[in-house]
Amino acid sequence: MSDIVVDNHYTKAFNGISVSANSHTFDPLQLARFEGVNRVWPVRFYRPAVNLSSLNASADLYLHHVTGVERALTELGLNGTGVSIGIVDSGVDYMHPELGGCWKTPGCPWQHGEDLVGDKYDPASADPIIEPNPTPMDCDGHGTHVSGILAGRGPHVHGVAPGATFGMYRIFSCPVGGQQVQASDALIIKGIEAAFQNGHDIISLSLGSGSWAEDPLSIICAQAVEQGVVVVAAAGNDGMGGLYTASAPSVGAGVISVGSVDNWNITALSGTVTSSQGTQSIVLSPSSSDKYPFDFDSDTPLALPSSDNSNILGCAKYTTDMTGKIALVERGVCRFDAKLKNAYEAGAVGVLCYNNVPGYFAATLSQSTPIPIAGTTNEYGAYIASALAAGNVTIKAPKDNFGLFAAATGGQVSEFSSIGPSPELAMVPLISAPGGNILSTYPRKLGSYASESGTSMATPYISGTVALLKQARPDLSVNGITRLLVASGKPITHLRTGLKASPFESGAGLVNIYDAITSRAELDPPTLSINDSKVGPITGHAEFESLGTVRWAARTISIRNTDSKKSMRVSLDNKVANSLSSMLANGSYAYTPRIWPADGVSKPATDTLPRVHSLDADKLVAPGQSCSVTVFVVAPTGLKDSEHWYYSGFLEFTLQWDGEQTSSAYVVPYGGYNGNYSAQDVLSPPSEGLPAFVDIESGNPIEDLSTLVIGTNETVALVYGLAIPSRRVDITYVDSASGKTVGNPPDGNIQYSERSCPQCSIPFHSIVLSKFASVAGNRSEPSEVPAGKYHIHLKALRPFGDIDNDDDYQTWDSEDFIIS
């Protein structure tokens, strides 16, 4: 057994330890053989759920108007007083004038918190330095931005709950080398434990990674919820990866998972375009890296990659000499890194990339190319392209030059907002809030104000609304708060389809906290996850015989009339939402989430949409009493099972109380998989060329395994993809002569794996292959595999499968190779 070091003990909301080891042959599963150890997880690193940054200071209160916050503050006189909120983040510039300008003094909003990491922590270091400071002063900006959304006191930033009491638990350090900050789950658990111990009513987490309710952060948050703490967590920013991109801990049991909608007005960096058509101010969205900012103090020429428009995407080598010019390219097909590299090799000094759909975006980079890239809208891109066709065009973009722009996608689900469901088909996110292009406070040393995007911004917004709800109705349980938030949500109408945005993207829709606070009804359960459909006629009800053979599920919703004096009339309507898929009709990945109805289908056939039937939805409920409504949800019969559609919608209950002319709408989001969920393939489609053996040094696949020899040097990796998350992935060496399983290579037995895809934060999974293996079924230290001819046997557990039943796995076997 290798030497291990215990780094942290957890005893409050979580009973466990974190450890580290130096040996490269150490297998974490060895720890599982110790008495009293129930579970072992590898340490995972988490990033803040933030997308882009630009600076300015201009108050925008319209978002408070559409979310009901304005009415809660002005009409109900609420501000969060008496409610305590713990924030686990990068710290806070508590001396900012709009955040109180104080730390733990009488009357100060910041009464709790500590620094758990210091300024020198580098997650890439083999031995990271942790030297906490006396106070959690922010040197990154993320935590201060989050804090302003909650606690801003004006005049520029008006927080949702400025009267609450706050604590900041710093677990993200200062940026290293221009990279986004990270923290291990060991540090984050320490922050959550500290917040829990200090007795906060709400813990706000604008971070995430992983995708399972069984991940350690999900578990500790679920345990905090069980003990009466409201935990609010960001769904994540991997929405362009499609389904199953919602992250832990937001998928934890009882955690309020938050999605993002775009702001209606944005404050952003601005550039001035000059051409024969005149001058035009355009919005500029910085990339994910601030190492090379899009700063051009003088007019700089713009040009297209080719003179004949054959390379408008910038994905091929340029035929135009771009020396001293900025390349104008359209978004799509290839990665932003490739667009940037091609422009740089042609001599360009920058890239301006315009969107291929309405709205704003930020280019996400994984490589370092020494020129900047900025994004702009489809409309501005078309304007510039038209001007280039008529003559010369220049752009001037001085540093910190800002403008206020109306957002074409205001109120729509942000394209970066991660999409559910959870691996068990649970509904995530639960609710959405403004998170795209949000102005808030920033550390004074970094400019005092910033406009940023991410579910990181939507999360504190929801935390603030929960504080208002707890102030108004302090006796509510955590589940009661969730039920009211979800039931009072406002489903979002999708711009292109005219149907509602899928609850797997938006949860119940946009939060309306005024309606939640003044609600006179409670609906339970708050969401319906259809993960146990039946196929056949709806039995026992003659009224449904005409439907024939369908995929259906029955669910019952309890509705309680909390008005003590008036009876309540109940009626039901089905608000259909878009169906989503991450697969194309040919079985390959859809590089952006696929939507039904498709563009141009103005009136989709009824059989391509989910239907809801009920026999007892029209009811009169006496004051203080409850009723039950049973619904039969019928999956679309006109969508092909092979295309992996996830259907959804909203049960909209219209409630009207005696003697009142107006009624109120309450929603229960529902969603399911249009097929046999447990029979799905887990491994990525063959079009991805995976699994594959890859040479680690060159990154090239090894096509001929007959000449491959695996020895002491770790030079070969097995790369594989998962189309959907898998409870267990097991990779073993098999002796090709005897057919007997020898054991797992190190890290070859993986529990609770998340989905991978080209647009996901994890594009693929991999393990390094060596001559060592742990004996199958034995958690001993890895030993040398006898020399001989072997092949890899990979198996991935299908949804809801039995880990002990080989029939519940999808399998793959490699060709033979040699272990020396």
Side-chain angles (χ1 to χ4, degrees), residues 1 4 19 21 25-34 37 39-43 746-747 749 774 779 782:
M1 180 71 180
I4 62 173
V19 303
T25 62
F26 170 69
D27 189 337
L29 290 179
Q30 296 171 49
L31 295 170
R33 67 185 177 89
F34 287 114
V37 174
R39 279 286 307 277
V40 177
W41 297 273
V43 170
D747 301 321
N749 188 305
S774 297
R779 288 166 172 168

mmCIF file of all heavy atoms in Angstrom, residues 1 4 19 21 25-34 37 39-43 746-747 749 774 779 782:
data_model
loop_
_atom_site.group_PDB
_atom_site.id
_atom_site.type_symbol
_atom_site.label_atom_id
_atom_site.label_comp_id
_atom_site.label_asym_id
_atom_site.label_seq_id
_atom_site.Cartn_x
_atom_site.Cartn_y
_atom_site.Cartn_z
ATOM 1 N N MET A 1 0.856 -1.198 0.000
ATOM 2 C CA MET A 1 0.000 0.000 0.000
ATOM 3 C C MET A 1 0.881 1.232 0.000
ATOM 4 O O MET A 1 1.765 1.381 0.831
ATOM 5 C CB MET A 1 -0.904 -0.014 1.239
ATOM 6 C CG MET A 1 -1.845 1.175 1.359
ATOM 7 S SD MET A 1 -3.145 1.089 0.138
ATOM 8 C CE MET A 1 -4.040 2.575 0.533
ATOM 9 N N ILE A 4 0.019 7.418 2.069
ATOM 10 C CA ILE A 4 -0.997 8.433 1.794
ATOM 11 C C ILE A 4 -0.959 9.466 2.899
ATOM 12 O O ILE A 4 -0.525 9.202 4.015
ATOM 13 C CB ILE A 4 -2.410 7.818 1.675
ATOM 14 C CG1 ILE A 4 -2.824 7.144 2.987
ATOM 15 C CG2 ILE A 4 -2.499 6.854 0.520
ATOM 16 C CD1 ILE A 4 -4.262 6.676 2.985
ATOM 17 N N VAL A 19 -7.511 12.759 0.904
ATOM 18 C CA VAL A 19 -6.146 12.266 1.032
ATOM 19 C C VAL A 19 -5.397 12.482 -0.277
ATOM 20 O O VAL A 19 -5.999 12.706 -1.340
ATOM 21 C CB VAL A 19 -6.108 10.764 1.408
ATOM 22 C CG1 VAL A 19 -6.875 10.508 2.690
ATOM 23 C CG2 VAL A 19 -6.665 9.909 0.275
ATOM 24 N N ALA A 21 -1.623 10.951 -2.426
ATOM 25 C CA ALA A 21 -0.575 9.926 -2.464
ATOM 26 C C ALA A 21 0.417 10.283 -3.552
ATOM 27 O O ALA A 21 0.077 10.960 -4.532
ATOM 28 C CB ALA A 21 -1.181 8.552 -2.724
ATOM 29 N N THR A 25 1.430 4.316 -9.121
ATOM 30 C CA THR A 25 0.670 3.060 -9.191
ATOM 31 C C THR A 25 -0.456 3.003 -8.180
ATOM 32 O O THR A 25 -1.192 2.024 -8.120
ATOM 33 C CB THR A 25 1.600 1.850 -8.964
ATOM 34 O OG1 THR A 25 2.176 1.936 -7.663
ATOM 35 C CG2 THR A 25 2.685 1.804 -10.027
ATOM 36 N N PHE A 26 -0.600 4.067 -7.377
ATOM 37 C CA PHE A 26 -1.649 4.073 -6.358
ATOM 38 C C PHE A 26 -3.021 4.079 -7.016
ATOM 39 O O PHE A 26 -3.295 4.888 -7.901
ATOM 40 C CB PHE A 26 -1.491 5.297 -5.458
ATOM 41 C CG PHE A 26 -2.658 5.514 -4.526
ATOM 42 C CD1 PHE A 26 -2.904 4.639 -3.479
ATOM 43 C CD2 PHE A 26 -3.520 6.582 -4.715
ATOM 44 C CE1 PHE A 26 -3.969 4.833 -2.628
ATOM 45 C CE2 PHE A 26 -4.589 6.785 -3.867
ATOM 46 C CZ PHE A 26 -4.814 5.908 -2.818
ATOM 47 N N ASP A 27 -3.884 3.197 -6.613
ATOM 48 C CA ASP A 27 -5.261 3.122 -7.092
ATOM 49 C C ASP A 27 -6.174 3.535 -5.942
ATOM 50 O O ASP A 27 -6.184 2.886 -4.890
ATOM 51 C CB ASP A 27 -5.594 1.703 -7.536
ATOM 52 C CG ASP A 27 -6.944 1.616 -8.237
ATOM 53 O OD1 ASP A 27 -7.785 2.506 -7.997
ATOM 54 O OD2 ASP A 27 -7.160 0.665 -9.008
ATOM 55 N N PRO A 28 -6.957 4.619 -6.103
ATOM 56 C CA PRO A 28 -7.818 5.079 -5.004
ATOM 57 C C PRO A 28 -8.744 4.005 -4.459
ATOM 58 O O PRO A 28 -9.153 4.063 -3.297
ATOM 59 C CB PRO A 28 -8.607 6.226 -5.639
ATOM 60 C CG PRO A 28 -7.748 6.713 -6.754
ATOM 61 C CD PRO A 28 -7.047 5.494 -7.282
ATOM 62 N N LEU A 29 -9.086 3.026 -5.293
ATOM 63 C CA LEU A 29 -9.997 1.978 -4.817
ATOM 64 C C LEU A 29 -9.372 1.120 -3.719
ATOM 65 O O LEU A 29 -10.071 0.391 -3.015
ATOM 66 C CB LEU A 29 -10.441 1.098 -5.983
ATOM 67 C CG LEU A 29 -11.392 1.755 -6.992
ATOM 68 C CD1 LEU A 29 -11.739 0.783 -8.101
ATOM 69 C CD2 LEU A 29 -12.658 2.241 -6.301
ATOM 70 N N GLN A 30 -8.026 1.230 -3.571
ATOM 71 C CA GLN A 30 -7.396 0.500 -2.464
ATOM 72 C C GLN A 30 -7.952 0.965 -1.113
ATOM 73 O O GLN A 30 -8.023 0.199 -0.150
ATOM 74 C CB GLN A 30 -5.886 0.725 -2.485
ATOM 75 C CG GLN A 30 -5.191 0.163 -3.729
ATOM 76 C CD GLN A 30 -3.744 0.614 -3.779
ATOM 77 O OE1 GLN A 30 -3.038 0.487 -2.788
ATOM 78 N NE2 GLN A 30 -3.316 1.137 -4.903
ATOM 79 N N LEU A 31 -8.323 2.255 -1.051
ATOM 80 C CA LEU A 31 -8.844 2.792 0.207
ATOM 81 C C LEU A 31 -10.147 2.112 0.613
ATOM 82 O O LEU A 31 -10.501 2.079 1.788
ATOM 83 C CB LEU A 31 -9.071 4.302 0.073
ATOM 84 C CG LEU A 31 -7.818 5.163 -0.151
ATOM 85 C CD1 LEU A 31 -8.229 6.585 -0.505
ATOM 86 C CD2 LEU A 31 -6.954 5.160 1.100
ATOM 87 N N ALA A 32 -10.877 1.615 -0.375
ATOM 88 C CA ALA A 32 -12.193 1.045 -0.091
ATOM 89 C C ALA A 32 -12.119 -0.223 0.752
ATOM 90 O O ALA A 32 -13.128 -0.650 1.316
ATOM 91 C CB ALA A 32 -12.929 0.751 -1.397
ATOM 92 N N ARG A 33 -10.931 -0.837 0.834
ATOM 93 C CA ARG A 33 -10.838 -2.064 1.627
ATOM 94 C C ARG A 33 -10.719 -1.798 3.120
ATOM 95 O O ARG A 33 -10.830 -2.723 3.919
ATOM 96 C CB ARG A 33 -9.659 -2.903 1.149
ATOM 97 C CG ARG A 33 -8.287 -2.319 1.393
ATOM 98 C CD ARG A 33 -7.213 -3.211 0.754
ATOM 99 N NE ARG A 33 -5.879 -2.681 0.898
ATOM 100 C CZ ARG A 33 -5.077 -2.928 1.935
ATOM 101 N NH1 ARG A 33 -5.508 -3.689 2.932
ATOM 102 N NH2 ARG A 33 -3.874 -2.415 1.987
ATOM 103 N N PHE A 34 -10.497 -0.524 3.499
ATOM 104 C CA PHE A 34 -10.410 -0.211 4.915
ATOM 105 C C PHE A 34 -11.792 -0.282 5.564
ATOM 106 O O PHE A 34 -12.800 0.138 4.973
ATOM 107 C CB PHE A 34 -9.819 1.184 5.129
ATOM 108 C CG PHE A 34 -8.347 1.264 4.855
ATOM 109 C CD1 PHE A 34 -7.871 2.015 3.795
ATOM 110 C CD2 PHE A 34 -7.437 0.585 5.650
ATOM 111 C CE1 PHE A 34 -6.520 2.089 3.533
ATOM 112 C CE2 PHE A 34 -6.087 0.660 5.396
ATOM 113 C CZ PHE A 34 -5.618 1.412 4.331
ATOM 114 N N VAL A 37 -14.998 2.467 5.435
ATOM 115 C CA VAL A 37 -15.022 3.285 4.219
ATOM 116 C C VAL A 37 -16.175 2.823 3.333
ATOM 117 O O VAL A 37 -16.227 1.661 2.917
ATOM 118 C CB VAL A 37 -13.691 3.185 3.449
ATOM 119 C CG1 VAL A 37 -13.790 3.930 2.116
ATOM 120 C CG2 VAL A 37 -12.554 3.749 4.293
ATOM 121 N N ARG A 39 -17.471 4.875 0.517
ATOM 122 C CA ARG A 39 -17.305 5.341 -0.857
ATOM 123 C C ARG A 39 -15.961 6.019 -1.001
ATOM 124 O O ARG A 39 -15.445 6.633 -0.062
ATOM 125 C CB ARG A 39 -18.403 6.352 -1.234
ATOM 126 C CG ARG A 39 -19.732 5.767 -1.631
ATOM 127 C CD ARG A 39 -19.699 5.131 -3.015
ATOM 128 N NE ARG A 39 -19.202 6.034 -4.020
ATOM 129 C CZ ARG A 39 -19.941 6.954 -4.644
ATOM 130 N NH1 ARG A 39 -21.209 7.082 -4.337
ATOM 131 N NH2 ARG A 39 -19.418 7.718 -5.576
ATOM 132 N N VAL A 40 -15.403 5.955 -2.211
ATOM 133 C CA VAL A 40 -14.155 6.643 -2.544
ATOM 134 C C VAL A 40 -14.381 7.407 -3.845
ATOM 135 O O VAL A 40 -14.918 6.858 -4.809
ATOM 136 C CB VAL A 40 -12.988 5.648 -2.716
ATOM 137 C CG1 VAL A 40 -11.723 6.385 -3.128
ATOM 138 C CG2 VAL A 40 -12.757 4.870 -1.429
ATOM 139 N N TRP A 41 -13.979 8.675 -3.863
ATOM 140 C CA TRP A 41 -14.060 9.493 -5.073
ATOM 141 C C TRP A 41 -12.676 10.044 -5.414
ATOM 142 O O TRP A 41 -11.915 10.413 -4.505
ATOM 143 C CB TRP A 41 -14.984 10.698 -4.900
ATOM 144 C CG TRP A 41 -16.413 10.418 -4.629
ATOM 145 C CD1 TRP A 41 -17.400 10.204 -5.538
ATOM 146 C CD2 TRP A 41 -17.060 10.379 -3.343
ATOM 147 N NE1 TRP A 41 -18.607 10.023 -4.905
ATOM 148 C CE2 TRP A 41 -18.431 10.123 -3.554
ATOM 149 C CE3 TRP A 41 -16.606 10.538 -2.034
ATOM 150 C CZ2 TRP A 41 -19.346 10.030 -2.516
ATOM 151 C CZ3 TRP A 41 -17.521 10.434 -1.004
ATOM 152 C CH2 TRP A 41 -18.870 10.183 -1.246
ATOM 153 N N PRO A 42 -12.340 10.174 -6.681
ATOM 154 C CA PRO A 42 -11.135 10.928 -7.026
ATOM 155 C C PRO A 42 -11.390 12.412 -6.803
ATOM 156 O O PRO A 42 -12.529 12.884 -6.919
ATOM 157 C CB PRO A 42 -10.950 10.626 -8.524
ATOM 158 C CG PRO A 42 -12.330 10.317 -9.006
ATOM 159 C CD PRO A 42 -13.039 9.639 -7.867
ATOM 160 N N VAL A 43 -10.343 13.176 -6.461
ATOM 161 C CA VAL A 43 -10.493 14.624 -6.309
ATOM 162 C C VAL A 43 -10.744 15.225 -7.681
ATOM 163 O O VAL A 43 -10.047 14.938 -8.652
ATOM 164 C CB VAL A 43 -9.244 15.250 -5.661
ATOM 165 C CG1 VAL A 43 -9.305 16.762 -5.735
ATOM 166 C CG2 VAL A 43 -9.135 14.811 -4.208
ATOM 167 N N PRO A 746 -4.605 0.852 -14.141
ATOM 168 C CA PRO A 746 -4.895 1.926 -13.178
ATOM 169 C C PRO A 746 -5.958 2.873 -13.733
ATOM 170 O O PRO A 746 -5.919 3.262 -14.903
ATOM 171 C CB PRO A 746 -3.544 2.617 -13.017
ATOM 172 C CG PRO A 746 -2.545 1.539 -13.269
ATOM 173 C CD PRO A 746 -3.148 0.675 -14.334
ATOM 174 N N ASP A 747 -6.933 3.227 -12.892
ATOM 175 C CA ASP A 747 -8.066 4.087 -13.274
ATOM 176 C C ASP A 747 -8.985 3.426 -14.287
ATOM 177 O O ASP A 747 -9.747 4.112 -14.969
ATOM 178 C CB ASP A 747 -7.583 5.437 -13.826
ATOM 179 C CG ASP A 747 -6.751 6.204 -12.827
ATOM 180 O OD1 ASP A 747 -7.101 6.173 -11.636
ATOM 181 O OD2 ASP A 747 -5.736 6.806 -13.225
ATOM 182 N N ASN A 749 -11.446 1.284 -13.580
ATOM 183 C CA ASN A 749 -12.773 1.009 -13.039
ATOM 184 C C ASN A 749 -13.356 2.335 -12.586
ATOM 185 O O ASN A 749 -12.994 2.872 -11.547
ATOM 186 C CB ASN A 749 -12.674 0.020 -11.876
ATOM 187 C CG ASN A 749 -14.036 -0.448 -11.409
ATOM 188 O OD1 ASN A 749 -14.891 0.378 -11.082
ATOM 189 N ND2 ASN A 749 -14.245 -1.752 -11.359
ATOM 190 N N SER A 774 -4.697 -3.952 -11.650
ATOM 191 C CA SER A 774 -5.259 -4.478 -10.410
ATOM 192 C C SER A 774 -6.030 -5.740 -10.740
ATOM 193 O O SER A 774 -6.796 -5.768 -11.717
ATOM 194 C CB SER A 774 -6.199 -3.459 -9.758
ATOM 195 O OG SER A 774 -5.506 -2.296 -9.388
ATOM 196 N N ARG A 779 -9.069 -5.339 -4.694
ATOM 197 C CA ARG A 779 -8.643 -3.946 -4.608
ATOM 198 C C ARG A 779 -7.214 -3.821 -4.067
ATOM 199 O O ARG A 779 -6.898 -2.924 -3.316
ATOM 200 C CB ARG A 779 -9.615 -3.157 -3.738
ATOM 201 C CG ARG A 779 -10.953 -2.944 -4.444
ATOM 202 C CD ARG A 779 -12.019 -2.472 -3.501
ATOM 203 N NE ARG A 779 -13.227 -2.096 -4.226
ATOM 204 C CZ ARG A 779 -14.380 -1.866 -3.644
ATOM 205 N NH1 ARG A 779 -14.511 -1.975 -2.341
ATOM 206 N NH2 ARG A 779 -15.430 -1.519 -4.352
ATOM 207 N N PRO A 782 -1.807 -2.340 -7.729
ATOM 208 C CA PRO A 782 -1.553 -2.907 -9.053
ATOM 209 C C PRO A 782 -0.228 -3.667 -9.111
ATOM 210 O O PRO A 782 0.752 -3.299 -8.464
ATOM 211 C CB PRO A 782 -1.527 -1.669 -9.954
ATOM 212 C CG PRO A 782 -2.333 -0.643 -9.234
ATOM 213 C CD PRO A 782 -2.084 -0.897 -7.780
#
